[in-house]
């Protein structure tokens, strides 16, 4: 089992920045590809970003490309999502997720999920 706990979500003004963290425990963190997803009120969960287990490759949704960046610190068992130039449309619950053997943007292909952290961007 892998346990994931997100943190860092809060209320921020449009144009501001925020860094989310996802702390992992259990199985070897470095074996997992990690993804960030978000779910706004009344909408389906959508892909935000992912990073390979070794950190060499990353991928972003078009809606956040150029504004968000994903990174990981394997010795600390932590993945981060740096969010810059935040927009009200970024308001959502943000989730991190883990999977082995896949480089996927599809939420249902991830095996482990955190409980989410709320990000609210005011206008």
């Amino acid at each position: 089992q892998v346990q994931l706990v997100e943190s860092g979500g809060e209320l921020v003004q449009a144009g501001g920045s925020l860094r989310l963290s996802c702390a992992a425990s259990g199985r070897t963190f470095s074996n997992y590809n990690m993804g960030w997803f978000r779910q706004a009120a009344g909408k389906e969960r959508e892909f935000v970003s992912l990073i390979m287990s070794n950190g060499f490759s990353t991928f972003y949704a078009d809606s956040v490309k150029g504004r968000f960046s994903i990174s990981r610190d394997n010795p600390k068992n932590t993945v981060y999502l740096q969010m810059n130039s935040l927009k009200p449309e970024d308001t959502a619950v943000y989730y991190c997720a883990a999977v082995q053997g896949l480089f996927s943007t599809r939420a249902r292909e991830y095996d482990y999920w955190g409980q989410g952290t709320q990000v609210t961007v005011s206008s």
Side-chain angles (χ1 to χ4, degrees):
Q1 296 291 316
V2 174
Q3 293 79 46
L4 304 173
V5 180
E6 304 95 336
S7 62
E10 61 183 60
L11 174 66
V12 297
Q13 295 181 2
S17 296
L18 198 62
R19 188 172 79 159
L20 306 182
S21 298
C22 175
S25 62
R27 295 178 181 175
T28 304
F29 176 71
S30 60
N31 290 159
Y32 289 83
N33 299 330
M34 299 294 298
W36 283 99
F37 296 79
R38 67 187 183 187
Q39 187 165 19
K43 298 183 66 177
E44 294 184 349
R45 191 166 300 186
E46 68 174 350
F47 168 76
V48 176
S49 185
L50 66 86
I51 186 167
M52 286 184 62
S53 59
N54 61 13
F56 285 170
S57 295
T58 59
F59 189 69
Y60 299 90
D62 287 343
S63 60
V64 306
K65 191 173 297 182
R67 299 189 297 120
F68 291 10
S69 63
I70 189 171
S71 62
R72 67 192 296 159
D73 187 340
N74 285 347
K76 294 184 178 180
N77 291 348
T78 303
V79 62
Y80 304 96
L81 185 68
Q82 178 66 47
M83 305 186 295
N84 300 322
S85 302
L86 283 162
K87 305 174 181 179
E89 307 92 87
D90 297 318
T91 295
V93 177
Y94 283 71
Y95 300 88
C96 65
V99 67
Q100 288 184 301
L102 297 174
F103 195 70
S104 177
T105 64
R106 301 177 69 86
R108 57 176 153 269
E109 294 183 338
Y110 283 74
D111 295 316
Y112 302 101
W113 292 85
Q115 293 299 305
T117 185
Q118 176 72 47
V119 173
T120 302
V121 184
S122 64
S123 60

